[in-house]
Amino acid sequence: MKRFVALLIILLVLGAVAFGVGYVPLRLQDGTVAVLYTKTSGWDPEPLQAGTFDWRWELLIPTNARIHHFPDTPRRAQLHTSALLPSAELYETFLEGAPSLRQELTLEIQYRPVPQNFVTLAPRGISSDNIEPWLVSLDRELTGAALVFAATALEDLLEAEDLLVPVPALTREIADKLQARFPDLDIQAVVVESLELPDPQLYRLARDTYRRLQRLREEALGEAIRAAARDREAADHRVSMLQQFGKVFSEYPVLLEYLEITARTGQNPLKLDIPLQDASLPGQDR
């Protein structure tokens, strides 16, 4: 009986040890998500996360498994820009007194990479040691997209008659578009820290004035091009006529003598319809 109890205790201890060795949450660091690689099975398709029951037999084999840890904490990407509205600085010069169309936006994006991301990153050689450049690049992509979405939303708001910009609606729109643009991220919040916009009516007036002047310039330029084309066509016609006359005089040099007589006497005995009566011959002054 004692031997059976001892054997049972040994089995329980071995079972507890085996359970502890294969129990994944015991191997996870705080604030991280992990990806498992084993020599027997390769890369595991599912990330290892704290707070979920997960036991892997591959961990029981010495040197068989390797766990790659990645940060699983929210990040903050900040955007600060003074170039929200298209060509606002250019439009200023078309208003009397050059009033300011100053614009400025500062917002913060709070997000977290979805753990499934790391399952694809780990096989590419990205680990906790070199993941920071990837995260920094992700910050840039997020802020770049947020700038486009914010500029579009604010330009649409400036077209409305309401002079007040609903900041909560703006942040929701940016967050929704970011989530749709980056489905592999968890966009937790978009916070507008500061927002300064010009008078919408003043901005529209400056923009419309600029566009109207551009249309007038384009019309004037088009007319100038058409006039130049007409002058060129007339000049080409004159050159063509002179070339034809030159060819005729080369083939019939007697015509030069006839024209000289006509120019000297003012008479056209053969009644030829040649529009050179008032023209001087080569070498003669009119």
Side-chain angles (χ1 to χ4, degrees):
M1 183 65 180
K2 292 182 178 179
R3 182 177 299 177
F4 174 76
V5 172
L7 180 60
L8 182 60
I9 292 174
I10 292 173
L11 291 176
L12 289 175
V13 170
L14 291 176
V17 171
F19 177 82
V21 172
Y23 188 55
V24 172
L26 294 178
R27 295 173 177 263
L28 295 182
Q29 303 172 5
D30 293 337
T32 65
V33 64
V35 178
L36 176 65
Y37 174 79
T38 63
K39 296 177 182 178
T40 54
S41 303
W43 291 100
D44 195 278
E46 296 297 328
L48 309 177
Q49 302 182 65
T52 59
F53 180 85
D54 198 353
W55 188 86
R56 303 298 178 91
W57 64 267
E58 294 94 339
L59 297 176
L60 300 178
I61 305 174
T63 71
N64 178 55
R66 184 175 180 182
I67 296 179
H68 299 264
H69 295 87
F70 294 90
D72 188 29
T73 55
R75 285 182 64 86
R76 289 175 170 81
Q78 192 172 70
L79 168 67
H80 177 78
T81 180
S82 58
L84 284 168
L85 303 176
S87 306
E89 294 182 356
L90 174 64
Y91 295 160
E92 289 178 351
T93 60
F94 289 87
L95 293 177
E96 185 178 355
S100 175
L101 296 179
R102 179 180 173 82
Q103 49 194 311
E104 189 169 347
L105 171 67
T106 301
L107 61 79
E108 183 180 80
I109 306 167
Q110 300 173 9
Y111 74 98
R112 168 178 165 268
V114 174
Q116 194 66 33
N117 278 291
F118 304 119
V119 175
T120 60
L121 291 177
R124 289 158 46 191
I126 298 178
S127 65
S128 58
D129 297 331
N130 58 7
I131 196 175
E132 188 59 28
W134 181 80
L135 292 172
V136 171
S137 175
L138 192 56
D139 290 345
R140 294 197 189 99
E141 287 187 55
L142 271 173
T143 53
L147 175 59
V148 174
F149 296 148
T152 302
L154 289 173
E155 190 174 6
D156 291 341
L157 287 171
L158 288 180
E159 294 296 329
E161 293 299 327
D162 191 355
L163 302 183
L164 298 178
V165 176
V167 174
L170 175 64
T171 56
R172 282 196 303 271
E173 181 174 353
I174 296 174
D176 291 344
K177 289 185 176 180
L178 286 176
Q179 189 64 76
R181 171 67 176 80
F182 299 93
D184 53 349
L185 301 179
D186 177 18
I187 306 298
Q188 299 176 335
V190 174
V191 180
V192 175
E193 298 179 349
S194 65
L195 176 62
E196 182 175 349
L197 292 174
D199 181 345
Q201 295 179 348
L202 195 62
Y203 175 77
R204 291 196 296 267
L205 174 62
R207 182 197 58 195
D208 295 344
T209 300
Y210 172 79
R211 291 176 178 176
R212 186 164 54 254
L213 289 176
Q214 286 299 105
R215 284 195 297 270
L216 292 175
R217 289 174 180 173
E218 290 174 2
E219 292 172 1
L221 179 59
E223 181 57 34
I225 292 175
R226 288 190 291 272
R230 289 193 296 268
D231 292 344
R232 178 61 182 271
E233 184 178 0
D236 291 344
H237 180 69
R238 288 193 295 270
V239 171
S240 177
M241 290 292 296
L242 291 175
Q243 289 175 342
Q244 293 178 20
F245 282 128
K247 183 178 180 180
V248 171
F249 293 152
S250 297
E251 295 179 359
Y252 307 100
V254 68
L255 287 176
L256 289 174
E257 298 179 5
Y258 180 84
L259 291 176
E260 183 179 2
I261 295 172
T262 300
R264 185 171 58 250
T265 63
Q267 297 179 355
N268 186 4
L270 297 180
K271 307 299 182 180
L272 296 179
D273 186 15
I274 300 178
L276 293 177
Q277 289 87 347
D278 297 331
S280 299
L281 294 175
Q284 294 182 339
D285 294 334
R286 297 185 60 178

